[in-house]
Amino acid sequence: MMSANGVSPQVSKKELQAMAYSDPLTGLGNRHRLRDKVRLLAAERAQDPAPFTICIADLDGFKPINDLFGIEAGDEILCQVAHRLKACVPEGATVTRHDGDEFAFVLPLIFERSGAERIGQMMRDVLSAPYDLGDRHVRLSASFGFAVYPFAGDEFETLLESAETALYQSKRRGRGQITVYTREIAHEMKRTTQLEQALRTAVIADAVDAHFQPIVRLVDGVTVGFEALARWNDPDLGFVAPSVFVPLAEERGFIDALSETLLRKAAEAALSWPRDVFLSFNLSSAQLMDPGTSESILSILHRVGLAPHRLELEITETAVMTSAETAERILADLRGQGVKISLDDFGTGQSSLGRLRDFAFDKVKIDRAFVSQITTDRASEHIVKAILAMCDGLGLQVVAEGIESHADAEKLKGLGCEMGQGYHYGRPADAASTLVYLQKHYRELVPV
């Protein structure tokens, strides 16, 4: 018979307390157990604050495995993780299930950074071994964030927040990373968060601009297109490099909003250009993982009134490899509407030839790493020659990036390279300056 609160009257108060402090799936302690252990240990060491360490571990890539094999398989993996952790932590340590696929530890005998890193490496190795699901085996990695008392906080909430900050830093760096909290990390994370908020505000306020760098036909120097490049000049932060804020937008999940704003601005600017001048625009790996990307791009072009055949999308090998099947469908949809696809940074990836075979590209951009040394390094010259010959055989157009001098331009022209861009031909400029540039080159097509 059950009581009004759903608990059997035979269940003792002690058993109820044990249930409140336990994770029902793994049998480990839960957040309440972690909190009480930390507070007890801190109270014991308050008079002479000898250090101890807490840690949070997060399983990398657990959600896709959970989605693929089902919740029961996911639960089985979590139970195996719990068993491994209980078996490998030092004597006196406490292991808890923190939240979802996160586990937390109290390590009374870990006093400093090097000790935390060593135990982190050991636990990472233990968790990286295959997990047995009966008819299959799966592999996972884990990321770790450590915080040492009292340097990272002398209260439970502060210490936990420091461990979470360290874990977040680990996740930013990739899979299987180990980070021990420091004030420098906290300062960097605070600055990153401030930067994120400023960037989100700038995107909403339409304050991130598109600048344009000319792409020219090498044989006669005529401008045939422009690459759109993101530029952000914040009132408080000043100029923020795209190499900083674009990856941040990808990491924090609002690259789509940023990219849509920039594409709209770039397409609007391109309406004032001669009709035979194309717009080149970069797509991120996140966009090539989103099935809605092609519809979004075509919708923007339609609203602005720019013909799809005037748009050329630049993608990198890394972006394609992130989610190849989805990327292939997105690019096929766009090419079907007349959008051109260019493979950017060619020659620096791990599988360039395979990508040229598997995907239908219209153009290849030779990475500046080879172009910048073409007049001084014979190996770079031979690589460029080989790329040009291969692309000629495949019927692909070629653009050389990073042309800095007249000598570079003449060398590439002599090798038969069709197009190029770089500071030799023009630096990125805003829409108004770009229109002035075009007025000088296309007086009969662009009204002054």
Side-chain angles (χ1 to χ4, degrees), residues 51-266:
F52 66 88
T53 299
I54 72 167
C55 169
I56 303 176
D58 178 86
L59 301 179
D60 302 320
F62 179 75
K63 186 179 184 302
I65 289 179
N66 213 17
D67 294 341
L68 184 61
F69 298 122
I71 294 177
E72 288 186 4
D75 287 348
E76 173 59 27
I77 289 175
L78 292 174
C79 289
Q80 291 185 36
V81 168
H83 179 75
R84 293 183 190 186
L85 291 174
K86 283 194 294 186
C88 77
V89 295
E91 185 176 352
T94 300
V95 186
T96 64
R97 184 182 177 202
H98 192 57
D99 183 30
D101 61 342
E102 288 186 354
F103 294 81
F105 315 85
V106 184
L107 304 162
L109 301 180
I110 301 298
F111 307 128
E112 36 71 44
R113 177 174 184 165
S114 60
E117 290 174 339
R118 282 195 301 272
I119 196 168
Q121 290 163 2
M122 181 269 290
M123 290 191 291
R124 180 181 61 189
D125 293 343
V126 166
L127 295 182
S128 67
Y131 293 87
D132 183 7
L133 295 179
D135 58 341
R136 65 180 71 88
H137 289 82
V138 300
R139 287 183 176 272
L140 289 171
S141 59
S143 298
F144 298 83
F146 289 88
V148 181
Y149 169 94
F151 315 111
D154 54 7
E155 297 287 340
F156 169 71
E157 289 77 12
T158 309
L159 200 59
L160 182 64
E161 183 179 326
S162 296
E164 289 172 340
T165 296
L167 175 64
Y168 187 78
Q169 181 76 347
S170 288
K171 300 293 280 188
R172 289 186 71 197
R173 291 163 51 208
R175 293 172 179 259
Q177 300 297 314
I178 298 165
T179 303
V180 182
Y181 175 90
T182 64
R183 287 186 176 86
E184 290 76 20
I185 288 174
H187 179 73
E188 180 186 344
M189 294 301 296
K190 183 178 180 181
R191 184 182 181 281
T192 299
T193 300
Q194 291 171 338
L195 189 66
E196 176 195 354
Q197 293 305 314
L199 180 56
R200 286 183 183 274
T201 300
V203 171
I204 294 171
D206 219 15
V208 181
D209 292 319
H211 282 210
F212 305 92
Q213 185 174 38
I215 301 171
V216 307
R217 193 165 56 214
L218 295 183
V219 68
D220 55 13
V222 170
T223 300
V224 293
F226 289 90
E227 179 180 354
L229 300 165
R231 292 293 182 268
W232 177 33
N233 201 342
D234 185 79
D236 299 318
L237 301 171
F239 176 78
V240 184
S243 59
V244 172
F245 72 81
V246 172
L248 179 63
E250 288 188 291
E251 177 192 320
R252 300 297 174 97
F254 60 101
I255 187 64
D256 288 351
L258 174 60
S259 185
E260 287 170 9
T261 296
L262 288 170
L263 179 57
R264 174 182 54 79
K265 287 188 171 185

Side-chain angles (χ1 to χ4, degrees), residues 296-318:
S296 173
I297 290 172
L298 294 171
S299 175
I300 291 170
L301 296 181
H302 177 72
R303 290 199 306 270
V304 172
L306 186 71
H309 74 267
R310 292 189 60 194
L311 177 64
E312 181 178 288
L313 294 173
E314 296 188 19
I315 62 174
T316 64
E317 296 169 50
T318 302

